[in-house]
Amino acid sequence: MADPNGAPVPVGPRVGAHEIAFTLADPQKRLVGVRLAHELDLPGQDVEFRYDDPSRSWTLVLPRPAVRRMEYQLTLRHADGGAETTTDPTNPVLTPGAFGDKSVLGMPEYTAPAWLAGAAAWPVHTRLSVPTGVGAVDVAVLSPPGSTSRLLVAHDGPEYTRLAALGAFAATMVRDGRVPSFHLAMAAPGERDQRYSANPAYATALATAVLPELHAKLGTRGPVVLMGASLGGLAALHAQRRYPDAVGGLFLQSGSFFVPQYDECESDFPYYPRVTRYVGAVLRGAGAGRAVPTTLTCGAVEENVHNNRLMAQTLRHQGYPVEFHEVPDAHNYVAWRDAFDPYLTDLLAKVWDHA
């Protein structure tokens, strides 16, 4: 496609039945290279664009991955040796993330959850800053009208609410009678990598300081459900196994259950040795404790899917009532959001209906 002056008109990515085609116009060939930056597990797939002289554009054609939506960026290399990773200028559809905006390519079959048009999130009822051995843990609690003794605690809670509408999900599910009424405690991560990387001091802080303070302020009791994504999922499992009486249910999304067999690519992470030692101990059955209802979700084409399959199988063999669901997306907050219903809905109902 060209404009009246012969310059190419950017048309953006195109989704076909079996392929995705990306096009970035560069009539003067100012760039020296373009690369697709993504979080899909596409082993052996070349993601370098090629310059097409007839269209004066950089192009890339990929086999269509097994996802319903795809988040990505482009890494642009300049003639002076510099490079920048940015959203796709040909694609106006963006989504925010913990590390900035991403371009989004939706497949024809993708639909957002219907509950997004449901109830507004409850107001903040309580704010706590609990002093612990790993520093103050800040928690904001969203509470429904009336009283309830049930509690859901979310690692990375502010991000879950801002990027995955967790507060709206909670309000809608309670309004519609899908789950019993509950308080939603959004725990801020603080020094996230240090706290959430199977750190015994954080598990102790959560179980012996944060949860007791929440129970005292809110009047909650009974089984607490603890949820988290990525490192937050690892930290949730770690806390439950070290303090099995403190947590009655687990919702773990794309957990960072690193093992050398699958995750050598993560070895630059400063707490990788601690994580792999801990996960190895879990796989060997150490610290099994009390098994609780556990649901894991993971993107079917993300790197963590291999260690999540292994963890789900391990927990099941150790007596945990486990459900594991692979979703057609990758490692991002929208993927985690889209898995809330029915998977988190079902877990909450299972843990609380007869509590």
Side-chain angles (χ1 to χ4, degrees):
M1 182 181 296
D3 68 15
N5 299 317
V9 176
V11 293
R14 298 185 300 277
V15 178
H18 304 290
E19 295 179 330
I20 299 172
F22 296 88
T23 303
L24 178 66
D26 184 10
Q28 307 302 320
K29 203 175 181 182
R30 293 190 173 94
L31 298 172
V32 297
V34 179
R35 182 180 179 86
L36 182 71
H38 64 86
E39 293 184 340
L40 305 182
D41 187 18
L42 302 176
Q45 180 62 59
D46 186 6
V47 291
E48 287 287 344
F49 284 56
R50 302 289 183 265
Y51 193 77
D52 179 65
D53 286 307
S55 66
R56 293 184 290 173
S57 298
W58 294 92
T59 65
L60 173 67
V61 178
L62 288 180
R64 184 169 161 181
V67 295
R68 293 180 182 169
R69 56 183 297 282
M70 177 179 175
E71 297 186 10
Y72 70 98
Q73 294 173 304
L74 300 180
T75 298
L76 311 179
R77 297 194 298 276
H78 300 284
D80 63 3
E84 60 177 321
T85 298
T86 183
T87 54
D88 183 350
T90 74
N91 182 356
V93 183
L94 303 177
T95 189
F99 303 104
D101 289 348
K102 299 284 184 68
S103 296
V104 181
L105 183 58
M107 309 302 161
E109 64 272 23
Y110 176 73
T111 55
W115 59 260
L116 286 171
W122 305 313
V124 174
H125 173 276
T126 302
R127 293 187 186 274
L128 301 176
S129 184
V130 183
T132 76
V134 292
V137 176
D138 297 324
V139 186
V141 183
L142 306 185
S143 297
S147 62
T148 176
S149 63
R150 301 177 186 89
L151 178 62
L152 170 62
V153 178
H155 281 152
D156 292 308
E159 289 77 15
Y160 255 129
T161 297
R162 178 171 61 90
L163 301 173
L166 180 59
F169 164 81
T172 301
M173 294 301 111
V174 170
R175 182 200 66 183
D176 294 348
R178 301 278 306 280
V179 299
S181 183
F182 64 93
H183 297 281
L184 171 59
M186 302 180 298
E191 295 182 16
R192 184 177 191 274
D193 289 353
Q194 193 268 350
R195 288 181 176 181
Y196 287 178
S197 53
N199 183 344
Y202 176 74
T204 297
L206 180 68
T208 68
V210 177
L211 291 181
E213 183 74 6
L214 285 168
H215 290 315
K217 291 288 187 182
L218 302 173
T220 50
R221 61 186 183 279
V224 171
V225 177
L226 182 58
M227 67 182 288
S230 194
L231 282 173
L234 170 69
L237 176 64
H238 182 239
Q240 187 276 326
R241 290 175 76 89
R242 288 184 66 87
Y243 295 91
D245 293 333
V247 178
L250 290 168
F251 189 68
L252 313 176
Q253 298 195 275
S254 301
S256 298
F257 308 125
F258 299 153
V259 293
Q261 177 184 359
Y262 299 126
D263 304 296
E264 190 65 28
C265 60
E266 301 286 354
S267 60
D268 288 340
F269 177 60
Y271 301 102
Y272 178 81
R274 182 166 72 193
V275 172
T276 54
R277 283 196 303 270
Y278 176 70
V279 172
V282 173
L283 298 180
R284 294 190 299 272
R290 182 172 66 98
V292 300
T294 300
T295 296
L296 299 91
T297 76
C298 194
V301 291
E302 65 166 288
E303 289 180 345
N304 274 0
V305 72
H306 307 290
N307 63 54
N308 273 252
R309 290 169 182 163
L310 180 60
M311 183 57 73
Q313 181 183 50
T314 296
L315 295 177
R316 190 175 290 117
H317 287 166
Q318 293 176 4
Y320 283 69
V322 169
E323 291 192 12
F324 177 52
H325 303 281
E326 296 183 24
V327 300
D329 207 316
H331 194 90
N332 59 72
Y333 272 98
V334 173
W336 302 329
R337 178 199 75 186
D338 290 358
F340 291 166
D341 191 37
Y343 306 129
L344 178 55
T345 308
D346 291 347
L347 176 70
L348 298 178
K350 179 188 300 183
V351 173
W352 290 332
D353 271 353
H354 305 293

